[in-house]
Amino acid sequence: MNREQLAARVLELVTGIAPDVDPASVIPGIDFRDQFDFDSMDTLNFAIALHRELGVEVPETDYAQLASVDKCVAYLVEHGG
Amino acid sequence: MASEFRLPALGADMDEGTIVQWNVAPGSVVKRGDVVAVVETDKGAIDVEIFQDGVIREIVVQPGTKVPVGAVLALLESDEAPSASAGPVKTADASPPPSPVIEPAATGARVKVSPAARKRASELGIDVATLQGSGPGGVITLEDVERSPRPSRAKADETVEPKAGDGMREAIAAAMSRSKREIPHYYLSTTVDVTPATDWLAAHNAAAPVAERLLFAALLVKAIALTCVEMPGFSGFYRDGRFEASPAVHVGVAVAMRGGGLVAPAIMETAGKSLTSLMDDFRALVMRARAGRLRASELAAPTIILTSLGESSVDAVFPIIQPPQVAIVGAGEIVTRPWVVDGAVQPRQVVTLSLGADHRVTDGRLGAQFLARVAQRLADAGSL
């Protein structure tokens, strides 16, 4: 997947675990927490979704690197998503 | 014998609901615990279970009809008397149910709408019954609302202030006003060194598959549940002028809605669950709460609530009891602080736990023991 496709997939996964978030409103450069109160439960669900859908197992110590669409894409590029 | 299936109260702050769907029809055989109807409330769409075995004889209230709590929704043939003990909680001030108010059926049988989508639809003047849901299980999502054609009277770029009449806000206001009016609260707090628990958690989560990782809040929920078993004066209901401890402990967890507001559904039978199974339930509960798919029993069941404000929040919360419960535990953010351990200052992970409890039932001394026991259990997280 190229970066654009990865970003689209990430957005899909985020709104999959948080169906009450409007995908059109998500700004890639801003942390999920600051945009729509993403909490630790959301982050855990997101990590589970990344593992299930993309096969990438993100250690808990790397959660901070999943904080926005942009950060997440960068992380996945680096870790072979 | 003939029996009536009534709209249950979902805690202290709900007095009406709109039937959106029946999962049964006359002739359907039902078992205790079956979800028989979906009811739209201030807390989203709620799955309503039946509490006795039997056969549905007649559907009394049709979809689209708004009725008060206590209204007869359906009639059934049943060999057993309705069970009061495990049934939904009746509010302390519930007056005899008024006769159903039948309002014109404004919507069809549209089932599931996320709270944020409902709010947005209402702002835009869109009837959610006209939308197709694309979310999990057909839930209407915010995106579905945004994508739908706007009614001509609403401009696409119109900024709309949140409505004062927002149902969930009114429900919270009603419950909290009643709480502050009726319950003589006392508040306690204690700051606990939870480094052993966070260390244990980090080690567990590093070794566990991602789907089996735990949150600190899950440890807290379990520690509270076990302490409630030991100290029943904090887990139960104050009704009709007296306190009744609940034989089963169902810890409710306050879940914040992204559009504002909160609900506190229960993790059922909390004390007997393993941490992994408790965490599974907790995760599912939060997702369903935000998608607007809770069960009536989950909303009515909490015998005590945990409100955990989590990361990037505040040091401490002074929580308000949700009647008819008699206690609520609060947790602030886990922070690293200088702490004296064995005579030397060290950086430690600490959290401030608080308790709001009902003075009609317990006193500060017992409350202090309660918090101390929760803290002790956290210190030995591996045995939770």
Side-chain angles (χ1 to χ4, degrees):
Chain A
M1 276 190 276
N2 63 30
R3 276 174 177 268
E4 230 167 66
Q5 288 165 324
L6 265 181
R9 197 79 180 90
V10 165
L11 190 60
E12 212 176 282
L13 295 180
V14 167
T15 50
I17 58 132
D20 47 341
V21 168
D22 174 13
S25 74
V26 177
I27 303 164
I30 298 184
D31 284 4
F32 300 134
R33 180 189 292 165
D34 298 329
Q35 290 191 72
F36 36 77
D37 297 338
F38 229 57
D39 57 19
S40 50
M41 183 69 82
D42 292 314
T43 305
L44 175 57
N45 282 327
F46 184 46
I48 291 171
L50 279 175
H51 180 247
R52 193 182 51 226
E53 303 294 327
L54 302 179
V56 180
E57 182 142 357
V58 182
E60 195 177 47
T61 44
D62 284 354
Y63 281 178
Q65 297 178 56
L66 306 177
S68 70
V69 173
D70 284 350
K71 286 177 187 168
C72 197
V73 169
Y75 185 87
L76 291 174
V77 168
E78 193 183 329
H79 293 82
Chain B
M1 59 184 246
S3 183
E4 292 168 333
F5 171 59
R6 294 171 178 270
L7 179 61
L10 310 170
D13 47 356
M14 173 189 152
D15 49 18
E16 60 185 12
T18 302
I19 310 300
V20 289
Q21 176 183 299
W22 281 103
N23 298 338
V24 292
S28 299
V29 176
V30 292
K31 285 208 292 291
R32 176 188 168 81
D34 284 353
V35 173
V36 293
V38 180
V39 176
E40 185 63 46
T41 72
D42 294 334
K43 293 171 177 172
I46 305 295
D47 289 336
V48 177
E49 307 108 307
I50 200 157
F51 282 94
Q52 60 192 124
D53 297 347
V55 178
I56 300 291
R57 199 175 69 193
E58 184 187 339
I59 300 293
V60 176
V61 177
Q62 297 306 318
T65 310
K66 186 181 277 188
V67 292
V69 164
V72 176
L73 303 180
L75 301 175
L76 74 158
E77 288 293 338
S78 175
D79 295 336
E80 52 173 321
S83 155
S85 60
V89 175
K90 216 170 175 224
T91 58
D93 59 357
S95 40
S99 52
V101 181
I102 309 296
E103 294 195 352
T107 62
R110 187 62 254 161
V111 192
K112 311 152 195 172
V113 190
S114 82
R118 174 170 309 285
K119 193 171 162 211
R120 185 67 179 140
S122 141
E123 288 166 3
L124 295 172
I126 293 169
D127 180 358
V128 289
T130 63
L131 303 181
Q132 280 294 326
S134 69
V139 172
I140 294 174
T141 64
L142 198 52
E143 191 184 13
D144 296 327
V145 174
E146 296 289 357
R147 266 202 315 244
S148 71
R150 304 285 157 90
S152 52
R153 64 195 155 90
K155 293 193 201 85
D157 57 353
E158 195 173 25
T159 349
V160 186
E161 291 300 314
K163 289 201 175 155
D166 177 54
M168 185 177 280
R169 179 56 49 201
E170 282 177 4
I172 293 167
M176 294 300 98
S177 302
R178 178 180 157 202
S179 177
K180 285 285 181 168
R181 203 168 52 235
E182 294 179 4
I183 303 177
H185 285 69
Y186 65 86
Y187 301 99
L188 308 171
S189 84
T190 183
T191 301
V192 182
D193 175 5
V194 288
T195 312
T198 54
D199 284 351
W200 181 87
L201 199 61
H204 170 90
N205 288 349
V210 62
E212 288 173 27
R213 288 181 196 162
L214 303 170
L215 294 179
F216 180 78
L219 304 183
L220 200 45
V221 165
K222 185 74 188 282
I224 291 166
L226 293 174
T227 304
C228 285
V229 172
E230 189 186 352
M231 303 176 71
F234 296 91
S235 173
F237 306 107
Y238 193 93
R239 285 193 287 242
D240 303 325
R242 65 191 199 91
F243 172 68
E244 257 180 73
S246 171
V249 176
H250 310 299
V251 177
V253 284
V255 179
M257 298 295 171
R258 284 182 236 281
L262 79 163
V263 290
I267 297 171
M268 306 298 288
E269 304 283 352
T270 326
K273 289 200 159 101
S274 70
L275 280 175
T276 315
S277 119
L278 188 157
M279 187 68 217
D280 283 346
D281 286 5
F282 191 5
R283 285 200 303 116
L285 203 58
V286 172
M287 291 248 269
R288 284 191 291 110
R290 288 183 174 150
R293 286 315 305 244
L294 290 171
R295 288 178 160 222
S297 55
E298 291 167 335
L299 277 172
T303 58
I304 184 170
I305 284 174
L306 167 67
T307 177
S308 172
L309 282 134
E311 66 231 89
S312 305
S313 64
V314 292
D315 282 347
V317 52
F318 309 96
I320 304 167
I321 299 163
Q322 179 166 302
Q325 294 153 36
V326 299
I328 179 167
V329 178
E333 181 184 5
I334 298 176
V335 287
T336 306
R337 290 279 184 269
W339 207 252
V340 178
V341 182
D342 299 331
V345 177
Q346 294 180 17
R348 301 288 280 185
Q349 298 252 284
V350 304
V351 69
T352 299
L353 300 180
S354 51
L355 174 74
D358 188 334
H359 239 318
R360 295 172 299 184
V361 184
T362 57
D363 299 313
R365 190 177 161 74
L366 206 59
Q369 281 175 25
F370 183 91
L371 280 184
R373 289 296 288 142
V374 171
Q376 280 169 15
R377 290 201 149 89
L378 283 176
D380 190 13
S383 67
L384 287 171

